[in-house]
Amino acid sequence: MKIRKTIPIPQGFTAADIKVESSICTGEKTIGFYSPADKKLHFAELVRSQADIEDFYRKYGVTR
């Protein structure tokens, strides 16, 4: 089993800011920290499966 270090949530964001978005055109999903001020996902990563979503939460030490 691989031990992963958690990294701190980026400054200015909280666990409640984590959001999954889906592209209207391609259906491609991304997960990241949503900023309502500029209506963008920051620190976004591609989501290929549910495991990718769980990995994102684990990476930042957040439980769903």
Side-chain angles (χ1 to χ4, degrees):
M1 185 169 153
K2 187 176 181 181
I3 297 175
R4 298 181 185 185
K5 270 185 143 178
T6 58
I7 58 176
I9 292 175
Q11 188 173 359
F13 295 102
T14 67
D17 295 324
I18 295 174
K19 182 176 178 182
V20 176
E21 289 187 342
S22 184
S23 168
I24 295 171
C25 300
T26 64
E28 182 178 83
K29 291 183 181 180
T30 53
I31 188 170
F33 293 93
Y34 182 74
S35 170
D38 57 6
K39 297 180 175 97
K40 286 182 163 182
L41 274 185
H42 295 268
F43 307 96
E45 296 179 10
L46 181 63
V47 172
R48 293 187 188 101
S49 68
Q50 186 65 31
D52 290 341
I53 295 172
E54 298 302 324
D55 286 344
F56 185 87
Y57 277 90
R58 223 174 292 130
K59 176 179 172 178
Y60 289 99
V62 177
T63 56
R64 288 181 91 176

